[in-house]
Amino acid sequence: MLNIGVLVSGGGTNLQALIDAQNEGIIKSGKIKVVISNKEDAYALERAKNNNIDGVFIKKDKDFEKNLIKILEEYKIDLIVLAGFLVILSEDFVRKYDKKIINIHPSLIPSFCGDGFYGLKVHEAALSRGVKLTGATTHFVNEITDGGEIIMQKAVEIKDGDTPEFLQKRVMEEAEWKILPLSVEKVCKQMI
Ligand code: GAR
């Protein structure tokens, strides 16, 4: 069993999908040991607490990554999952954890990704370009934002009258909450 650390910044619906998958036995090769947030009021920390998982807030100051590494080492974390974590990690950090960090991005990479594309902005960009299909992608994290090796992708249809909020919800329900747990299990299994 690998030790999983989940990094979050917001509501944590992807974290919830991971917790549910763990409870349902979809994730069986690893266990979530700690949830770390750069936002003190992130609802994701509540979700951790409600599920008896340790939650840690780390302030985004100059020692952020130093403090992050300390916590990851304390909990002996083998795999880091970025689940709606909106901080860009340094090159040094991602090199240290090469092939040990997974991210979920709410589009079909290489569309609508990279610096500045996060959260609702991704869906706004997809709608204004007029694409008819979007989706979600899980990938390993390297020094290029959203540029690491792709693990899984799932397409989602865009419908007439979609708003960024409607589209975000559909992409989460039909793609993100499915491929993130499956990707975590796949990578844990490979790592064992
Ligand atoms: C999710 O849609 C996730 O894919 C996105 O932020 C949202 C977080 O929601 N991540 C990015 O845009 C990363 N570039 P959640 O807190 O409810 O999981």
Side-chain angles (χ1 to χ4, degrees):
M1 269 266 210
L2 297 188
N3 292 335
I4 302 169
V6 185
L7 273 51
V8 296
S9 301
T13 64
N14 279 289
L15 167 68
Q16 191 65 55
L18 293 172
I19 295 170
D20 293 347
Q22 187 170 280
N23 292 339
E24 289 160 13
I26 294 167
I27 296 177
K28 49 181 184 293
S29 306
K31 192 157 195 264
I32 303 168
K33 293 287 178 180
V34 66
V35 172
I36 302 169
S37 174
N38 65 307
K39 298 274 182 208
E40 198 164 16
D41 58 354
Y43 186 66
L45 286 175
E46 286 293 311
R47 294 183 194 267
K49 200 167 149 193
N50 293 340
N51 289 277
N52 296 316
I53 300 168
D54 286 356
V56 179
F57 158 64
I58 305 179
K59 198 170 167 207
K60 181 75 185 64
D61 60 14
K62 65 170 186 31
D63 292 325
F64 180 75
E65 288 189 354
K66 206 174 105 194
N67 294 330
L68 178 57
I69 291 168
K70 209 174 126 204
I71 300 291
L72 294 170
E73 289 179 351
E74 201 175 296
Y75 282 88
K76 300 188 165 46
I77 296 306
D78 303 298
L79 180 70
I80 300 166
V81 182
L82 310 184
F85 180 64
L86 303 182
V87 173
I88 302 287
L89 295 161
S90 73
E91 280 192 35
D92 284 350
F93 185 93
V94 300
R95 287 215 183 101
K96 180 174 165 70
Y97 293 98
D98 186 37
K99 288 277 159 68
K100 289 178 179 162
I101 315 174
I102 298 180
N103 181 44
I104 175 96
H105 183 76
S107 76
L108 293 174
I109 289 176
S111 291
F112 314 116
C113 64
D115 289 332
F117 286 100
Y118 59 88
L120 273 180
K121 287 181 196 283
V122 178
H123 304 294
E124 282 162 11
L127 288 176
S128 52
R129 185 61 184 82
V131 292
K132 304 300 174 202
L133 274 181
T134 185
T137 304
T138 54
H139 63 92
F140 286 109
V141 173
N142 67 7
E143 63 284 359
I144 302 157
T145 309
D146 301 321
E149 186 192 326
I150 291 173
I151 304 164
M152 284 186 191
Q153 291 191 301
K154 192 164 190 294
V156 173
E157 240 179 278
I158 292 182
K159 298 190 176 164
D160 290 345
D162 263 350
T163 62
E165 290 80 6
F166 278 153
L167 185 56
Q168 179 180 53
K169 187 162 179 280
R170 191 177 316 115
V171 168
M172 283 177 159
E173 286 172 354
E174 293 183 10
E176 295 187 47
W177 301 341
K178 293 185 175 156
I179 65 169
L180 184 60
L182 292 176
S183 302
V184 167
E185 174 57 21
K186 184 176 180 212
V187 171
C188 283
K189 221 170 152 179
Q190 279 168 359
M191 282 170 76
I192 288 174

